Every structure is written in structure tokens, then in C-alpha cells.
Amino acid sequence: MKHGKKTKINCIQLIFIIILIASICGIVCYLCIANKEKQEYKNLQENMATENHTDEKSDRIEKVKELQKENSDIVAWIEIEGTNINYPVLHTTNNDFYLNYNYKKEETLAGSLFLDKDFDIKNGSSNYLIYGHRNKQGLMFEDLLKYAKEDFYKEHKKIRFTTDKEDRDYEIMAVFYSRVYYKDEQNVFRYYYFVNAKDENEYNNYVKQSKDASIYDTGVTAKYGEQLLTLSTCEYSQEDGRFVIVAK
């Protein structure tokens, strides 16, 4: 009886050891993949860095065009000083694919930064609505949360956004917490539905609601016709929480 009990304990210990080894291997594998991905993006970022300061804007635009030869889904490059946010922006016909794939269309946990599917690439839309994961390795939109502190905003008020046509700085005008609302909830700000304004009133309403929701006053607003840029990522203090930055 004692021998059988001892054998049972030994089996449990063996199973525990196997699970522990598998877990360690999984963590090591994840870290190796994450580090490799970080290095790939670092190389890409170094390539985007411009050396020709006399014609820096057109140089960056040309580099976006070069990236488009590798993947036509690349529509822009976004960069925010003081953060790790320095990546290509992708666009396709759905909002699911680039949640799990990088700019090379390789499957990855970090995903990519991607533009909402409803944005009109050919004719343009009122709002560049861009989504991205947060990541424990600091990739993608993890550093957006730095803007939860007003002091950080005061030192980093602009977002650089480069397409194959123009290279612009966008001024941040609102920073707020939100969430994905249930369909039956009324009188809530569903910022994630706004891509192209039907008219001036809809545009102004989006700007006003963004400003009203902002956790601090930036003193910046937008007028109808000015291009907007909205960055959205997950925020975990509430169910389906979101952290959002709106710039013009």
C-alpha cells in the first residue's frame, strides 16, 4: 500500500516537473521571438532615420514608398518622440488581420499598428483612426499610456505621421479613457465609429466630445476640414477599456 502511494506521489512530481520545464521553455521561446521582433523593428527604424536634413520630409516620404514595394498595405509611418512608437501603419479590408500579423504578413503576438478599414485611402477621410496592441516588451502602442501623465504630454505634444504623399506633425488635443460600449447603451461617446465626417456638425461633435472626455486640457482644438489623427489601444482598469489620443 505504501509502495503504491509512493509511486503515485512520484508520478505527480514527474508531471509537475514536465509542466515546469514546458513552461520555462515556452517563456524562453516567447522572449527569443520578442527580442528578434524588437531587433527587426530597430533595423527598420534606423532605415527610416533621415540623414539628408536639407530635404528631410521628401526623404521620409520616399522611404515610405520603398516600404510599400515590400507590402502595399503599408500606408504610413508614425513616430512619437520619447516613446518606442516608431512603426509602419498598415491598412486592409478588415480590422482583424493585422491584430496578429506584422508588416511582413508574418504571424506575431505583437501584431501591427493599423488604420481602420473604413478609411478611404484613395480620397482621404476626416480621421486617421489607428489601432494597436499593448505589449509587455514595449512594442506597438504600449507607450501611449505615458500620456496618462500631463507632464509627459507637456514635453511631447506632437505626433509625426508620414504617408507616401506628405510628412506632417499632428498636435495632440485630447487624451482620454474609454471603452467599447454595449449596443443598448445610450448617450455614450463611441469614438471608434468616427472615420469620415458626414458634415461639419458631425466633425465638430467629435472634436467636442474628445475635448470633454480629455483627462487634462491641452488648449488645442480643431476646425472643420483639418485632418484628425486618433490613436487607440487597450486599457485594463475596466472591461473592454481603451486609452485614446486625438490629434490634429
Side-chain angles (χ1 to χ4, degrees), residues 107-159:
E107 194 165 6
T108 172
L109 292 173
S112 297
L113 303 185
F114 61 94
L115 188 60
D116 189 275
K117 63 181 177 57
D118 292 330
F119 191 91
D120 187 339
I121 292 295
K122 184 177 179 181
N123 301 307
S125 295
S126 306
N127 183 31
Y128 285 111
L129 176 54
I130 300 172
Y131 305 102
H133 284 309
R134 291 175 61 188
N135 182 281
K136 290 181 180 179
Q137 302 301 314
L139 297 171
M140 298 306 129
F141 271 166
E142 177 67 29
D143 278 0
L144 273 192
L145 272 292
K146 288 185 174 183
Y147 281 98
K149 296 182 178 180
E150 187 175 0
D151 286 345
F152 182 82
Y153 157 75
K154 288 178 178 178
E155 297 296 323
H156 308 88
K157 295 184 177 182
K158 294 183 179 181
I159 299 168

Side-chain angles (χ1 to χ4, degrees), residues 40 74 102 108 129 134 139 141-142 165 174 207 215 239 247:
E40 285 182 357
I74 295 173
N102 65 16
T108 172
L129 176 54
R134 291 175 61 188
L139 297 171
F141 271 166
E142 177 67 29
K165 296 181 178 64
V207 172
I215 56 178
E239 183 181 359

Side-chain angles (χ1 to χ4, degrees), residues 60-69 164-165:
R60 284 177 68 93
I61 291 169
E62 289 305 313
K63 287 185 177 182
V64 170
K65 290 179 180 179
E66 285 298 313
L67 286 173
Q68 289 175 334
K69 293 177 182 178
D164 59 357
K165 296 181 178 64

Side-chain angles (χ1 to χ4, degrees), residues 68-111:
Q68 289 175 334
K69 293 177 182 178
E70 185 173 347
N71 182 356
S72 60
D73 288 349
I74 295 173
V75 294
W77 188 279
I78 188 170
E79 181 177 358
I80 304 177
E81 286 189 10
T83 75
N84 289 328
I85 300 169
N86 192 12
Y87 300 110
V89 177
L90 288 296
H91 180 260
T92 188
T93 56
N94 64 76
N95 286 343
D96 298 319
F97 184 79
Y98 283 110
L99 282 171
N100 303 302
Y101 287 83
N102 65 16
Y103 72 100
K104 294 180 179 179
K105 296 187 178 181
E106 299 169 337
E107 194 165 6
T108 172
L109 292 173

